[in-house]
Amino acid sequence: MTSVQHDQIHRLARHYLEPGPVVLISSRYGGTVNVMTCGWHQMLGWSRMSCLISPANHSHAMIRESGVAVINVPAADMLDTLVDIGNCSGADTDKFARFGLERETAQVDAPGIAQCWAQLDCRITDPALIERYDLFVFDVVAIRAVPGERPQTAHYLGDGEFLLSGRTVSKRERFRPEMLL
Amino acid sequence: MTSVQHDQIHRLARHYLEPGPVVLISSRYGGTVNVMTCGWHQMLGWSRMSCLISPANHSHAMIRESGVAVINVPAADMLDTLVDIGNCSGADTDKFARFGLERETAQVDAPGIAQCWAQLDCRITDPALIERYDLFVFDVVAIRAVPGERPQTAHYLGDGEFLLSGRTVSKRERFRPEMLL
């Protein structure tokens, strides 16, 4: 997996996250690793994003304590796996082993998921919103992705249904130049 | 446009927003109406969502002062219009007039956009995060949408490019019953 240059993070973080795909959030704490499925996230700045992670998720305490996580974007061909990851708990399951996930070394103390086409290494910048809204505010400190590659992604509709992504269209010619970051 | 029953809001708000479409946020304040394009939003609860609205947007002060807004989800056939709405300012443009937007009566003091297939009436519940992150935390108090209808949506990739939505797939059979809300 190719590492994105540091000065490109502010341009590319939105490219992977803003369309709203379901992501896999991986973490490490107390000698164990874990992964959860999440669709409640947004951009908060050019290299800042937030995820809502309920305390009902085993990952909540792991990420809060370690202060870091990797946000992995799976392609739609992993849809069954990402549903199954969301329907079992790290409290009684070693999900990396059960789902055959390969760890990739990240720039934070949490494992990237090698099967995911984009991986964003994140560090908590503001723990105050965890208490208030279960909201983790992260700075994106590194990205691994294959440049130019964009596989189909899965977006959750609720009630067990997913929207798969279709084609890409450019509307660059309608933008004011300063709006094109 | 059909109003969704109040007890269905907690189930349907995510259906319209969680996949991550670009939305149009409409507002009214001081005798004027305005609309902006936004892709930085997420679910914060079953009937709660957040949007990042920069103070550089004319809508920022209007929504902060009025305390309400309508989040409208446009279909992809409005893509040129939603790009153009995002590339001009309510400070010097009457966007409802310029883009031929029809107002629909909402349950908050802001106009819905009749051309949008889903409209979520929202009320600010926590102004504290506006100061901290330009983040507006809204409760969804009413929804208008055509039941069962789901047109193609547009999702922003940055740099003038959009991802259009494709087909829907059900994975209900893989979910634990309690995960199906």
Coordinates of all heavy atoms in Angstrom, one line a residue, chain A residues 14-15 18-20 40-45 48 50 52 79-80 83-84 86-87 126 128 132-133 135 150 155-157 159-162 164 166-169 171-172 174-176 179-180, chain B residues 14-15 18-20 40-45 50 52 79-80 83-84 86-87 126 128 132-133 135 150 155-157 159-162 164 166-169 171-172 174-176 179-180:
Chain A
R14 N -10.7 14.0 2.7 CA -12.1 14.2 2.3 C -12.5 13.3 1.1 O -13.6 12.8 1.0 CB -12.4 15.6 1.9 CG -11.9 16.0 0.5 CD -12.3 17.4 0.1 NE -13.6 17.8 0.3 CZ -14.1 19.0 0.0 NH1 -13.3 19.9 -0.6 NH2 -15.3 19.4 0.3
H15 N -11.5 13.0 0.2 CA -11.8 12.2 -0.9 C -12.2 10.8 -0.5 O -13.1 10.2 -1.1 CB -10.5 12.1 -1.8 CG -10.6 11.3 -3.0 ND1 -11.3 11.7 -4.1 CD2 -10.2 10.0 -3.3 CE1 -11.3 10.8 -5.1 NE2 -10.7 9.7 -4.6
E18 N -15.6 11.8 2.7 CA -16.8 12.7 2.5 C -17.9 12.0 1.8 O -19.1 12.3 2.1 CB -16.4 14.0 1.8 CG -17.5 15.0 1.7 CD -17.1 16.4 1.3 OE1 -15.9 16.7 1.5 OE2 -17.9 17.1 0.8
P19 N -17.7 11.1 0.8 CA -18.9 10.5 0.2 C -19.7 9.6 1.1 O -20.8 9.2 0.7 CB -18.2 9.6 -0.9 CG -16.9 10.2 -1.1 CD -16.4 10.7 0.2
G20 N -19.2 9.3 2.3 CA -20.0 8.7 3.3 C -20.0 7.1 3.3 O -21.0 6.5 3.7
W40 N -21.4 6.4 11.0 CA -21.7 7.7 11.5 C -20.4 8.5 11.7 O -19.8 8.5 12.8 CB -22.4 7.5 12.9 CG -23.8 7.0 12.7 CD1 -24.4 6.4 11.6 CD2 -24.9 7.1 13.7 NE1 -25.7 6.1 11.9 CE2 -26.1 6.5 13.1 CE3 -25.0 7.5 15.0 CZ2 -27.3 6.3 13.8 CZ3 -26.2 7.4 15.7 CH2 -27.3 6.8 15.1
H41 N -20.0 9.1 10.6 CA -18.7 9.9 10.6 C -18.9 11.1 9.7 O -19.7 11.1 8.8 CB -17.6 9.0 10.2 CG -17.7 8.4 8.8 ND1 -17.4 9.1 7.7 CD2 -18.0 7.2 8.4 CE1 -17.5 8.3 6.6 NE2 -18.0 7.2 7.1
Q42 N -18.0 12.1 9.8 CA -18.0 13.2 8.9 C -16.7 13.9 8.9 O -15.9 13.7 9.8 CB -19.1 14.2 9.3 CG -18.8 15.1 10.6 CD -19.8 16.3 10.7 OE1 -20.9 16.1 11.3 NE2 -19.4 17.4 10.2
M43 N -16.5 14.8 8.0 CA -15.3 15.7 8.0 C -15.6 16.8 8.9 O -16.7 17.4 9.0 CB -15.1 16.2 6.6 CG -14.7 15.2 5.5 SD -13.3 14.2 5.9 CE -12.0 15.5 5.8
L44 N -14.5 17.2 9.7 CA -14.6 18.4 10.6 C -13.6 19.4 10.2 O -13.5 20.5 10.8 CB -14.3 18.0 12.0 CG -15.5 17.4 12.9 CD1 -15.0 17.3 14.3 CD2 -16.7 18.2 12.8
G45 N -12.8 19.1 9.2 CA -11.7 20.0 8.8 C -10.9 19.3 7.7 O -11.2 18.1 7.4
R48 N -9.2 16.6 9.6 CA -9.9 16.3 10.9 C -11.3 15.7 10.6 O -12.0 16.1 9.7 CB -10.1 17.5 11.7 CG -10.7 17.3 13.1 CD -10.6 18.5 13.9 NE -9.2 18.7 14.4 CZ -8.8 19.8 15.0 NH1 -9.6 20.8 15.3 NH2 -7.5 19.9 15.4
S50 N -14.7 13.2 12.5 CA -15.3 12.7 13.7 C -16.1 11.4 13.4 O -16.6 11.2 12.3 CB -16.3 13.7 14.3 OG -17.3 14.1 13.4
L52 N -19.0 8.8 15.5 CA -19.7 8.4 16.7 C -19.5 6.9 17.0 O -19.8 6.1 16.2 CB -21.2 8.8 16.6 CG -22.0 8.7 17.9 CD1 -23.0 9.8 17.9 CD2 -22.6 7.3 18.0
L79 N -18.5 -6.5 1.5 CA -19.8 -6.2 2.1 C -20.2 -7.2 3.2 O -20.6 -6.9 4.3 CB -20.9 -5.9 1.1 CG -22.2 -5.4 1.6 CD1 -22.1 -4.2 2.5 CD2 -23.2 -5.1 0.4
D80 N -20.2 -8.5 2.8 CA -20.6 -9.5 3.8 C -19.7 -9.4 5.0 O -20.2 -9.5 6.2 CB -20.5 -10.9 3.1 CG -21.6 -11.2 2.2 OD1 -22.6 -10.3 2.1 OD2 -21.6 -12.2 1.5
V83 N -20.6 -6.4 7.2 CA -21.8 -6.7 8.0 C -21.6 -7.6 9.1 O -22.0 -7.3 10.3 CB -22.9 -7.3 7.0 CG1 -24.1 -7.7 7.8 CG2 -23.3 -6.2 6.0
D84 N -20.8 -8.7 8.9 CA -20.6 -9.7 9.9 C -19.7 -9.1 11.1 O -19.9 -9.4 12.2 CB -19.9 -10.9 9.3 CG -20.8 -11.7 8.4 OD1 -22.0 -11.3 8.3 OD2 -20.3 -12.6 7.7
G86 N -19.9 -6.1 12.0 CA -20.8 -5.2 12.8 C -21.8 -6.0 13.6 O -22.5 -5.4 14.5
N87 N -21.9 -7.3 13.4 CA -22.9 -8.1 14.1 C -22.2 -9.1 15.1 O -22.9 -10.1 15.4 CB -23.8 -8.8 13.1 CG -24.9 -7.9 12.6 OD1 -25.9 -7.7 13.2 ND2 -24.6 -7.2 11.5
D126 N -9.6 15.8 20.6 CA -10.5 16.4 21.6 C -11.3 15.3 22.2 O -12.4 14.9 21.7 CB -11.4 17.4 20.9 CG -12.3 18.1 21.8 OD1 -12.3 17.8 23.0 OD2 -13.1 19.0 21.4
A128 N -13.2 15.7 24.8 CA -14.4 16.2 25.5 C -15.7 15.8 24.9 O -16.7 15.6 25.6 CB -14.3 17.8 25.5
R132 N -19.7 13.8 25.9 CA -21.0 14.6 25.6 C -21.8 13.8 24.5 O -23.0 13.8 24.6 CB -20.5 15.9 25.0 CG -21.6 17.0 24.9 CD -21.0 18.3 24.6 NE -21.9 19.4 24.6 CZ -21.7 20.6 25.2 NH1 -20.6 20.7 25.9 NH2 -22.6 21.6 25.1
Y133 N -21.2 13.3 23.5 CA -22.0 12.7 22.4 C -21.4 11.4 21.9 O -21.8 10.9 20.8 CB -21.9 13.7 21.2 CG -22.8 14.9 21.3 CD1 -22.2 16.2 21.4 CD2 -24.2 14.8 21.4 CE1 -23.0 17.3 21.6 CE2 -25.0 15.9 21.6 CZ -24.4 17.1 21.7 OH -25.2 18.2 21.8
L135 N -18.7 11.1 20.7 CA -18.1 11.6 19.4 C -16.6 11.7 19.6 O -16.1 12.4 20.4 CB -18.7 12.9 19.0 CG -18.4 13.4 17.6 CD1 -19.2 12.5 16.6 CD2 -18.9 14.8 17.4
R150 N -10.2 3.8 -7.1 CA -11.4 4.1 -6.4 C -12.4 2.9 -6.7 O -13.2 3.0 -7.6 CB -12.0 5.4 -6.8 CG -13.3 5.7 -6.1 CD -13.7 7.0 -5.8 NE -14.5 6.9 -4.6 CZ -14.2 7.3 -3.4 NH1 -13.1 7.9 -3.2 NH2 -15.0 7.0 -2.4
H155 N -22.6 2.1 1.3 CA -23.1 3.2 2.1 C -24.4 2.7 2.8 O -25.2 2.2 2.1 CB -23.4 4.4 1.3 CG -22.2 4.9 0.5 ND1 -21.6 6.1 0.6 CD2 -21.5 4.2 -0.5 CE1 -20.6 6.2 -0.2 NE2 -20.5 5.1 -0.9
Y156 N -24.5 2.8 4.1 CA -25.6 2.2 4.8 C -26.9 3.0 4.8 O -26.8 4.2 5.0 CB -25.2 1.9 6.3 CG -26.1 0.9 7.0 CD1 -26.5 -0.2 6.4 CD2 -26.6 1.2 8.2 CE1 -27.4 -1.1 7.0 CE2 -27.5 0.3 8.9 CZ -27.9 -0.8 8.2 OH -28.7 -1.7 8.8
L157 N -28.0 2.3 4.6 CA -29.3 3.0 4.5 C -30.1 2.7 5.7 O -31.3 3.1 5.9 CB -30.1 2.4 3.3 CG -29.6 2.8 1.9 CD1 -30.1 1.9 0.8 CD2 -29.9 4.3 1.6
D159 N -31.7 -0.5 8.4 CA -32.6 -1.7 8.2 C -32.0 -2.8 7.3 O -32.8 -3.5 6.6 CB -33.9 -1.2 7.6 CG -35.1 -2.1 7.9 OD1 -35.1 -2.8 8.9 OD2 -36.1 -2.2 7.1
G160 N -30.7 -2.9 7.4 CA -30.1 -4.0 6.7 C -29.8 -3.8 5.2 O -29.3 -4.7 4.5
E161 N -30.0 -2.6 4.7 CA -29.8 -2.3 3.3 C -28.7 -1.3 3.0 O -28.4 -0.4 3.8 CB -31.1 -1.7 2.7 CG -32.3 -2.7 2.8 CD -33.4 -2.3 1.8 OE1 -33.6 -1.1 1.6 OE2 -33.9 -3.2 1.1
F162 N -28.0 -1.6 1.9 CA -26.9 -0.7 1.6 C -27.0 -0.2 0.2 O -27.6 -0.8 -0.7 CB -25.6 -1.6 1.6 CG -25.2 -2.0 2.9 CD1 -25.7 -3.2 3.5 CD2 -24.2 -1.3 3.7 CE1 -25.4 -3.6 4.8 CE2 -23.9 -1.7 4.9 CZ -24.5 -2.9 5.5
L164 N -24.8 1.0 -3.0 CA -23.5 0.8 -3.6 C -23.2 2.0 -4.4 O -24.1 2.6 -5.1 CB -23.4 -0.5 -4.4 CG -23.7 -1.8 -3.6 CD1 -23.5 -3.0 -4.5 CD2 -23.0 -1.8 -2.3
G166 N -21.9 4.2 -7.6 CA -21.9 4.1 -9.0 C -20.8 4.8 -9.7 O -19.7 4.9 -9.2
R167 N -21.1 5.5 -10.8 CA -20.0 6.2 -11.5 C -19.6 7.5 -10.9 O -20.4 8.1 -10.1 CB -20.5 6.4 -13.0 CG -21.6 7.3 -13.2 CD -22.1 7.2 -14.6 NE -23.3 8.1 -14.8 CZ -23.2 9.4 -15.2 NH1 -22.1 9.9 -15.6 NH2 -24.3 10.1 -15.3
T168 N -18.5 8.0 -11.4 CA -18.0 9.3 -10.9 C -18.1 10.3 -12.1 O -18.0 10.0 -13.2 CB -16.4 9.1 -10.6 OG1 -16.3 8.2 -9.6 CG2 -15.8 10.5 -10.2
V169 N -18.5 11.5 -11.7 CA -18.6 12.6 -12.7 C -17.9 13.8 -12.3 O -17.9 14.1 -11.1 CB -20.1 13.0 -13.0 CG1 -20.9 11.8 -13.7 CG2 -20.8 13.5 -11.8
K171 N -17.5 17.9 -12.3 CA -18.2 19.2 -12.5 C -17.2 20.3 -12.3 O -17.6 21.5 -11.9 CB -19.4 19.3 -11.6 CG -20.5 18.4 -11.9 CD -21.2 18.7 -13.2 CE -22.2 17.6 -13.6 NZ -22.8 17.9 -14.9
R172 N -15.9 20.0 -12.5 CA -14.8 21.0 -12.2 C -15.1 22.3 -12.9 O -14.8 23.4 -12.4 CB -13.5 20.5 -12.6 CG -12.9 19.4 -11.7 CD -11.5 18.9 -12.2 NE -10.6 20.0 -12.3 CZ -9.8 20.4 -11.3 NH1 -9.8 19.8 -10.1 NH2 -8.9 21.4 -11.4
R174 N -17.6 24.0 -13.4 CA -18.6 24.8 -12.8 C -18.1 25.5 -11.5 O -18.9 26.3 -10.9 CB -19.9 24.1 -12.5 CG -20.6 23.4 -13.7 CD -21.9 22.8 -13.4 NE -23.0 23.8 -13.4 CZ -23.7 24.0 -14.5 NH1 -23.4 23.4 -15.6 NH2 -24.6 24.9 -14.5
F175 N -16.9 25.1 -11.0 CA -16.4 25.5 -9.7 C -15.6 26.8 -9.9 O -14.9 27.0 -10.8 CB -15.6 24.5 -9.0 CG -16.3 23.4 -8.3 CD1 -17.1 22.5 -9.0 CD2 -16.3 23.3 -6.9 CE1 -17.8 21.5 -8.3 CE2 -17.0 22.4 -6.2 CZ -17.8 21.4 -6.9
R176 N -15.7 27.7 -8.9 CA -14.8 28.8 -8.8 C -13.5 28.2 -8.3 O -13.4 27.2 -7.5 CB -15.2 29.8 -7.7 CG -16.5 30.5 -8.0 CD -16.6 31.9 -7.3 NE -16.2 31.8 -5.9 CZ -17.0 31.7 -4.9 NH1 -18.3 31.6 -5.1 NH2 -16.6 31.6 -3.6
M179 N -12.7 27.2 -4.8 CA -13.6 26.2 -4.2 C -13.1 24.7 -4.5 O -13.7 23.8 -4.1 CB -15.0 26.3 -4.7 CG -15.6 27.7 -4.4 SD -15.8 28.0 -2.7 CE -17.3 27.1 -2.3
L180 N -12.0 24.6 -5.3 CA -11.6 23.3 -5.8 C -10.6 22.5 -4.9 O -10.1 21.5 -5.3 CB -11.0 23.4 -7.2 CG -12.1 23.5 -8.3 CD1 -11.5 23.7 -9.6 CD2 -12.9 22.2 -8.3
Chain B
R14 N -31.8 8.4 9.5 CA -30.6 7.8 9.0 C -30.7 7.3 7.5 O -29.7 7.3 6.8 CB -30.2 6.6 9.9 CG -31.0 5.4 9.6 CD -30.6 4.2 10.4 NE -29.1 4.0 10.5 CZ -28.6 2.9 11.2 NH1 -29.4 2.1 11.8 NH2 -27.3 2.8 11.3
H15 N -31.9 6.9 7.2 CA -32.1 6.4 5.8 C -31.7 7.5 4.8 O -31.1 7.2 3.7 CB -33.5 5.9 5.6 CG -33.8 5.4 4.3 ND1 -33.4 4.1 3.9 CD2 -34.5 5.9 3.2 CE1 -33.8 3.9 2.6 NE2 -34.4 5.0 2.2
E18 N -27.5 9.0 6.3 CA -26.3 8.2 6.6 C -25.5 7.8 5.4 O -24.2 7.7 5.5 CB -26.7 6.9 7.4 CG -25.5 6.1 7.9 CD -25.8 5.1 8.9 OE1 -26.8 5.2 9.6 OE2 -25.0 4.1 9.0
P19 N -26.1 7.6 4.2 CA -25.3 7.2 3.1 C -24.3 8.3 2.6 O -23.5 8.1 1.7 CB -26.3 6.9 2.0 CG -27.6 6.6 2.7 CD -27.5 7.5 3.9
G20 N -24.5 9.6 3.1 CA -23.6 10.6 2.9 C -23.8 11.5 1.7 O -22.8 12.0 1.1
W40 N -20.5 17.9 4.6 CA -19.9 17.6 5.9 C -20.9 17.5 7.0 O -21.2 18.4 7.7 CB -18.8 18.7 6.3 CG -17.6 18.6 5.4 CD1 -17.5 18.0 4.2 CD2 -16.3 19.3 5.7 NE1 -16.2 18.2 3.7 CE2 -15.5 18.9 4.6 CE3 -15.8 20.0 6.7 CZ2 -14.2 19.4 4.5 CZ3 -14.5 20.5 6.6 CH2 -13.7 20.2 5.5
H41 N -21.5 16.3 7.1 CA -22.6 16.0 8.0 C -22.6 14.6 8.5 O -22.0 13.7 7.8 CB -24.0 16.4 7.4 CG -24.3 15.6 6.2 ND1 -24.8 14.3 6.3 CD2 -24.2 15.9 4.9 CE1 -25.1 13.9 5.0 NE2 -24.7 14.8 4.2
Q42 N -23.2 14.3 9.6 CA -23.3 12.9 10.1 C -24.4 12.7 11.0 O -25.0 13.7 11.5 CB -22.0 12.5 10.8 CG -21.8 13.0 12.2 CD -20.7 12.4 13.0 OE1 -19.5 12.7 12.8 NE2 -21.0 11.4 13.8
M43 N -24.8 11.4 11.2 CA -25.8 11.1 12.3 C -25.1 11.2 13.6 O -24.0 10.7 13.8 CB -26.3 9.7 12.0 CG -27.1 9.5 10.7 SD -28.5 10.6 10.5 CE -29.6 10.0 11.9
L44 N -25.8 11.7 14.6 CA -25.3 11.8 16.0 C -26.3 11.0 16.9 O -26.0 10.9 18.1 CB -25.3 13.2 16.5 CG -24.0 14.1 16.2 CD1 -24.1 15.4 17.0 CD2 -22.7 13.3 16.5
G45 N -27.4 10.5 16.4 CA -28.4 9.8 17.2 C -29.5 9.4 16.2 O -29.5 9.8 15.1
S50 N -25.5 16.3 12.7 CA -24.6 17.5 12.8 C -24.2 17.8 11.4 O -24.0 17.0 10.5 CB -23.4 17.2 13.7 OG -22.7 16.1 13.3
L52 N -21.2 20.6 9.6 CA -20.2 21.7 9.8 C -20.6 22.8 8.8 O -20.6 22.6 7.6 CB -18.8 21.1 9.5 CG -17.7 22.1 9.9 CD1 -16.5 21.4 10.5 CD2 -17.3 23.0 8.7
L79 N -27.7 18.0 -9.9 CA -26.2 18.1 -9.6 C -25.7 19.5 -10.1 O -25.0 20.2 -9.3 CB -25.5 17.0 -10.3 CG -24.0 16.9 -10.0 CD1 -23.7 17.0 -8.5 CD2 -23.3 15.7 -10.6
D80 N -26.0 19.9 -11.3 CA -25.5 21.2 -11.7 C -26.0 22.4 -10.8 O -25.2 23.2 -10.4 CB -26.0 21.5 -13.2 CG -25.2 20.7 -14.2 OD1 -24.2 20.1 -13.8 OD2 -25.6 20.8 -15.4
V83 N -24.1 22.3 -7.4 CA -22.8 22.8 -7.6 C -22.9 24.4 -7.7 O -22.1 25.1 -7.0 CB -22.1 22.3 -8.8 CG1 -20.8 23.0 -9.1 CG2 -21.8 20.8 -8.7
D84 N -23.8 24.9 -8.5 CA -23.9 26.3 -8.7 C -24.3 27.0 -7.4 O -23.8 28.1 -7.0 CB -24.9 26.7 -9.8 CG -24.4 26.2 -11.2 OD1 -23.2 25.8 -11.3 OD2 -25.1 26.2 -12.1
G86 N -23.4 26.1 -4.5 CA -22.3 26.1 -3.6 C -21.2 27.1 -4.1 O -20.2 27.3 -3.4
N87 N -21.4 27.6 -5.3 CA -20.3 28.5 -5.9 C -20.8 29.9 -6.0 O -20.2 30.7 -6.8 CB -19.8 27.9 -7.2 CG -18.8 26.8 -7.0 OD1 -17.6 27.1 -6.9 ND2 -19.3 25.6 -6.9
D126 N -27.8 22.1 20.5 CA -26.6 22.4 21.2 C -25.7 23.4 20.5 O -25.0 23.1 19.6 CB -25.8 21.1 21.4 CG -24.5 21.4 22.3 OD1 -24.3 22.5 22.7 OD2 -23.8 20.4 22.5
A128 N -23.2 25.0 21.6 CA -21.8 25.1 22.1 C -20.8 24.7 21.0 O -19.7 25.2 21.0 CB -21.7 24.3 23.4
R132 N -17.0 26.0 18.9 CA -15.8 25.2 19.0 C -15.3 24.6 17.6 O -14.2 24.6 17.4 CB -16.1 24.0 19.9 CG -15.0 23.2 20.4 CD -15.5 22.2 21.5 NE -14.5 21.4 22.1 CZ -14.3 21.3 23.4 NH1 -15.1 22.0 24.3 NH2 -13.4 20.5 23.9
Y133 N -16.3 24.2 16.8 CA -16.0 23.5 15.6 C -16.8 24.0 14.4 O -16.8 23.3 13.3 CB -16.2 22.0 15.7 CG -15.1 21.3 16.6 CD1 -15.5 20.7 17.8 CD2 -13.8 21.2 16.1 CE1 -14.5 20.1 18.6 CE2 -12.9 20.6 16.9 CZ -13.2 20.1 18.1 OH -12.2 19.5 18.9
L135 N -19.7 23.5 14.3 CA -20.6 22.3 14.1 C -22.0 22.6 14.7 O -22.1 22.9 15.9 CB -19.9 21.1 14.9 CG -20.5 19.7 14.5 CD1 -20.2 19.4 13.1 CD2 -20.0 18.7 15.5
R150 N -36.5 6.3 -3.8 CA -35.1 6.6 -3.6 C -34.3 6.9 -4.9 O -33.8 6.0 -5.5 CB -34.4 5.4 -2.8 CG -33.0 5.7 -2.6 CD -32.3 5.1 -1.4 NE -31.2 6.0 -1.2 CZ -31.1 6.8 -0.2 NH1 -32.0 6.8 0.8 NH2 -30.1 7.7 -0.1
H155 N -22.6 12.4 -4.2 CA -21.8 12.3 -3.0 C -20.4 13.0 -3.4 O -19.9 12.6 -4.4 CB -21.5 10.9 -2.5 CG -22.8 10.2 -2.3 ND1 -23.1 9.7 -1.0 CD2 -23.9 9.8 -3.1 CE1 -24.3 9.1 -1.1 NE2 -24.8 9.2 -2.3
Y156 N -19.9 13.9 -2.6 CA -18.8 14.7 -3.1 C -17.5 14.1 -2.8 O -17.2 13.5 -1.7 CB -18.8 16.1 -2.4 CG -17.9 17.1 -3.1 CD1 -17.9 17.2 -4.5 CD2 -17.0 17.9 -2.4 CE1 -17.0 18.1 -5.1 CE2 -16.2 18.8 -3.0 CZ -16.1 18.9 -4.4 OH -15.3 19.7 -5.0
L157 N -16.6 14.1 -3.7 CA -15.2 13.5 -3.6 C -14.1 14.5 -3.4 O -13.0 14.2 -3.3 CB -14.9 12.7 -4.9 CG -15.7 11.4 -5.1 CD1 -15.6 11.0 -6.6 CD2 -15.2 10.3 -4.2
D159 N -12.4 18.3 -5.1 CA -11.7 18.6 -6.4 C -12.7 18.7 -7.5 O -12.3 18.3 -8.7 CB -10.6 17.7 -6.6 CG -9.5 18.3 -7.5 OD1 -9.4 19.5 -7.5 OD2 -8.8 17.5 -8.2
G160 N -14.0 19.0 -7.3 CA -14.9 19.1 -8.4 C -15.6 17.8 -8.9 O -16.3 17.9 -9.8
E161 N -15.3 16.7 -8.2 CA -15.8 15.4 -8.6 C -16.8 14.8 -7.7 O -16.7 15.0 -6.5 CB -14.7 14.4 -8.8 CG -13.7 14.8 -9.9 CD -12.9 13.7 -10.4 OE1 -12.4 12.8 -9.6 OE2 -12.6 13.6 -11.6
F162 N -17.8 14.2 -8.3 CA -18.9 13.6 -7.5 C -19.0 12.1 -7.8 O -18.8 11.6 -8.9 CB -20.2 14.2 -7.8 CG -20.3 15.7 -7.4 CD1 -19.8 16.7 -8.1 CD2 -20.9 16.0 -6.2 CE1 -19.8 18.0 -7.7 CE2 -20.9 17.3 -5.7 CZ -20.4 18.3 -6.5
L164 N -21.8 9.2 -7.9 CA -23.2 9.0 -8.0 C -23.6 7.7 -7.4 O -22.8 6.7 -7.5 CB -23.7 9.1 -9.4 CG -23.4 10.4 -10.2 CD1 -24.1 10.5 -11.5 CD2 -23.8 11.6 -9.3
G166 N -25.4 4.0 -6.9 CA -25.8 3.0 -7.8 C -26.9 2.1 -7.2 O -27.8 2.7 -6.5
R167 N -26.8 0.8 -7.3 CA -27.9 0.0 -6.8 C -27.9 -0.2 -5.3 O -26.9 0.0 -4.6 CB -27.9 -1.4 -7.6 CG -26.7 -2.2 -7.2 CD -26.6 -3.4 -8.2 NE -25.4 -4.2 -7.8 CZ -25.4 -5.3 -7.0 NH1 -26.6 -5.6 -6.4 NH2 -24.3 -5.9 -6.7
T168 N -29.1 -0.7 -4.8 CA -29.3 -1.0 -3.4 C -29.3 -2.5 -3.2 O -29.8 -3.2 -4.1 CB -30.7 -0.4 -3.0 OG1 -30.7 1.0 -3.1 CG2 -31.0 -0.8 -1.5
V169 N -28.6 -3.0 -2.2 CA -28.6 -4.4 -1.9 C -29.1 -4.6 -0.4 O -28.7 -3.8 0.5 CB -27.3 -5.1 -2.1 CG1 -26.9 -5.1 -3.6 CG2 -26.2 -4.5 -1.3
K171 N -28.8 -6.9 3.0 CA -28.1 -7.9 3.7 C -28.8 -8.2 5.0 O -28.2 -8.6 6.0 CB -26.7 -7.4 4.0 CG -25.8 -7.3 2.7 CD -25.4 -8.6 2.1 CE -24.7 -8.4 0.8 NZ -24.4 -9.8 0.2
R172 N -30.1 -8.0 5.0 CA -30.9 -8.2 6.3 C -30.7 -9.6 6.9 O -30.7 -9.7 8.1 CB -32.4 -8.0 6.0 CG -32.8 -6.6 5.8 CD -34.3 -6.6 5.5 NE -35.1 -7.1 6.6 CZ -35.5 -6.4 7.6 NH1 -35.3 -5.1 7.7 NH2 -36.3 -7.0 8.6
R174 N -28.1 -11.3 7.3 CA -26.9 -11.4 8.0 C -26.9 -10.6 9.3 O -26.0 -10.7 10.1 CB -25.7 -10.9 7.2 CG -25.5 -11.6 5.9 CD -24.2 -11.2 5.2 NE -23.1 -12.0 5.7 CZ -22.7 -13.1 5.1 NH1 -23.3 -13.6 4.1 NH2 -21.6 -13.7 5.6
F175 N -28.0 -9.8 9.6 CA -28.0 -9.0 10.8 C -28.7 -9.7 12.0 O -29.6 -10.5 11.8 CB -28.8 -7.7 10.5 CG -28.1 -6.6 9.8 CD1 -27.7 -6.8 8.5 CD2 -27.7 -5.5 10.5 CE1 -27.0 -5.8 7.9 CE2 -27.0 -4.4 9.9 CZ -26.6 -4.6 8.5
R176 N -28.2 -9.5 13.1 CA -28.9 -9.9 14.4 C -30.1 -9.0 14.4 O -30.1 -7.8 14.1 CB -28.0 -9.6 15.6 CG -26.8 -10.5 15.7 CD -26.3 -10.6 17.1 NE -26.3 -9.4 17.9 CZ -25.2 -8.6 18.1 NH1 -24.1 -8.9 17.6 NH2 -25.4 -7.5 18.8
M179 N -30.0 -5.4 15.7 CA -29.2 -4.5 14.9 C -29.9 -3.9 13.7 O -29.4 -3.1 13.0 CB -27.9 -5.2 14.4 CG -27.1 -5.8 15.5 SD -26.4 -4.6 16.6 CE -25.0 -4.0 15.6
L180 N -31.2 -4.2 13.5 CA -31.9 -3.8 12.3 C -32.7 -2.5 12.4 O -33.4 -2.2 11.5 CB -32.8 -5.0 11.9 CG -32.1 -6.0 11.0 CD1 -33.0 -7.2 10.7 CD2 -31.5 -5.4 9.7

